[in-house]
């Protein structure tokens, strides 16, 4: 397998992940789930401007993905 094929498979894999994640977000929106900032996230609201720095959300996502990848690495052994 050459480098072009590997890059193509990599991009297809990420594309499928984006499609799945987008579908989950659409489904969650139709079910009435609304994302609100978690405690610890920084929210700055001005007249017609809102800035959200999702610090707590990022930490939780990082921990969750780390755990998932760790479990997957255990299964591959």
């Amino acid at each position: 397998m050459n480098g072009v094929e590997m890059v193509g498979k990599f991009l297809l894999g990420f594309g499928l992940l984006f499609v799945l994640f987008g579908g989950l977000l659409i489904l969650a929106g139709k079910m009435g789930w609304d994302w609100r900032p978690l405690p610890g996230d920084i929210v700055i609201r001005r007249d017609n401007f809102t800035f959200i720095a999702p610090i707590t959300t990022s930490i939780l996502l990082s921990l969750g993905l780390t755990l998932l990848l760790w479990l997957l690495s255990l299964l591959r052994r």
Side-chain angles (χ1 to χ4, degrees):
M1 180 182 313
N2 61 26
V4 174
E5 290 176 9
M6 288 178 55
V7 170
K9 287 184 178 183
F10 179 77
L11 290 174
L12 279 174
F14 266 109
L16 288 174
L17 283 176
F18 278 121
V19 168
L20 288 173
F21 187 67
L24 285 173
L25 288 176
I26 290 170
L27 184 64
K30 290 186 185 233
M31 293 176 62
W33 183 71
D34 188 24
W35 179 80
R36 293 189 190 346
L38 294 174
D41 290 348
I42 297 172
V43 179
I44 299 172
R45 289 188 175 94
R46 298 285 188 241
D47 296 333
N48 58 353
F49 174 76
T50 301
F51 174 76
I52 300 175
I55 296 171
T56 306
T57 305
S58 298
I59 291 170
L60 289 176
L61 281 174
S62 176
L63 289 173
L65 288 173
T66 300
L67 179 64
L68 177 69
L69 292 174
W70 179 72
L71 289 172
L72 288 174
S73 74
L74 284 179
L75 292 174
R76 293 191 71 188
R77 289 184 187 182

